[in-house]
């Protein structure tokens, strides 16, 4: 475990192992006071203790963002935060890149209920369909599939019935580049005639 925090900490691998801290999951699921106590009892130098605590905080930040996007799909999915973190899927965007087979394998590893797997697969399908119609407008626009779904735009017709100031907010939220906004705006104008 030590080396995964920082190369200089590899000398502590056996200490981490003996304490049951042998993975990112066991490490980050340890409450901070317990971790601090462990570091003090093991007489870690202050510099190394600081590195370890900082790593704990960094992983905790990632974990919180994983839980947040899982909860945005369904509150019941938040229990899989540690599992997704352990499998290296740290964001909805990363998840959207997975194939159906990858999603199924991931759900097996984290012990996901079938009903929860269906929720995630349905979300992936929304993103896939969104990418398809965006690419139909222009191939470059496919990259915004996930961001558009997050912004609540699921179909091309959603763009046509959205007020222009709301569209601007959606494009801002989805991080659409100015040149790509122009393409979308031209498409909207052509369909609105």
């Amino acid at each position: 475990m030590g080396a995964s925090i920082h190369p200089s900490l590899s000398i502590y691998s056996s200490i981490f192992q003996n304490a049951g801290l042998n993975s990112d999951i066991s490490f980050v699921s340890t409450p901070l006071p317990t971790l601090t106590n462990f570091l003090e009892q093991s007489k870690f130098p202050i510099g190394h203790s600081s590195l370890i605590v900082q790593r704990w905080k960094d992983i905790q930040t990632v974990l919180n963002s994983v839980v947040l996007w899982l909860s945005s799909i369904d509150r019941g999915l938040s229990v899989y935060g540690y599992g997704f973190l352990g499998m290296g899927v740290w964001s909805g965007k990363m998840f959207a890149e997975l194939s159906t087979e990858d999603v199924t394998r991931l759900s097996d590893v984290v012990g996901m209920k079938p009903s929860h797997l269906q929720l995630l697969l349905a979300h992936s399908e929304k993103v896939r369909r969104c990418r398809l119609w965006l690419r139909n407008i222009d191939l470059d626009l496919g990259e915004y599939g996930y961001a558009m779904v997050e912004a609540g735009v699921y179909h091309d017709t959603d763009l046509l019935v959205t007020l222009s100031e709301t569209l601007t907010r959606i494009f801002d939220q989805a991080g659409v580049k100015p040149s790509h906004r122009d393409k979308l705006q031209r498409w909207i104008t052509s369909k609105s005639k």
Side-chain angles (χ1 to χ4, degrees):
M1 178 72 209
S4 72
I5 298 172
H6 192 275
S8 67
L9 301 178
S10 59
I11 54 171
Y12 303 118
S13 290
S14 60
I15 297 174
F16 278 106
Q17 196 84 31
N18 293 338
L21 301 172
N22 46 14
S23 69
D24 277 355
I25 302 304
S26 58
F27 177 63
V28 80
S29 59
T30 302
L32 188 54
T34 306
L35 179 65
T36 308
N37 191 38
F38 157 71
L39 295 172
E40 285 170 2
Q41 285 185 351
S42 302
K43 302 203 175 353
F44 277 74
I46 289 173
H48 288 171
S49 288
S50 298
L51 272 176
I52 292 163
V53 169
Q54 188 55 52
R55 173 68 173 160
W56 184 92
K57 288 178 178 174
D58 291 344
I59 298 175
Q60 201 69 42
T61 300
V62 175
L63 174 65
N64 290 340
S65 69
V66 172
V67 169
L68 199 63
W69 75 259
L70 282 168
S71 299
S72 72
I73 298 169
D74 187 272
R75 274 204 319 233
L77 297 174
S78 62
V79 296
Y80 304 113
Y82 284 122
F84 274 72
L85 181 72
M87 292 294 286
V89 180
W90 298 347
S91 69
K93 193 162 189 179
M94 288 172 79
F95 178 77
E97 301 301 324
L98 299 178
S99 67
T100 303
E101 294 75 25
D102 288 336
V103 172
T104 306
R105 191 162 51 249
L106 173 65
S107 74
D108 288 343
V109 171
V110 302
M112 192 176 292
K113 293 176 183 172
S115 58
H116 287 161
L117 173 58
Q118 288 312 309
L119 285 170
L120 281 168
L121 290 175
H123 187 72
S124 280
E125 183 60 16
K126 276 184 196 168
V127 173
R128 191 188 69 75
R129 286 183 182 173
C130 190
R131 280 187 177 146
L132 277 176
W133 64 256
L134 281 165
R135 285 187 183 127
N136 282 338
I137 297 172
D138 188 282
L139 282 174
D140 291 342
L141 300 176
E143 67 179 276
Y144 302 111
Y146 177 76
M148 284 290 191
V149 167
E150 288 293 286
V153 178
Y154 303 121
H155 309 286
D156 51 4
T157 50
D158 292 340
L159 288 180
L160 301 177
V161 296
T162 304
L163 297 172
S164 60
E165 57 268 23
T166 308
L167 272 178
T168 302
R169 196 164 61 247
I170 287 168
F171 292 165
D172 287 346
Q173 190 180 330
V176 181
K177 297 170 191 167
S179 60
H180 292 161
R181 287 180 192 219
D182 290 343
K183 287 177 179 179
L184 281 166
Q185 207 60 63
R186 280 198 300 274
W187 178 83
I188 292 166
T189 305
S190 73
K191 293 291 180 185
S192 302
K193 286 176 181 175

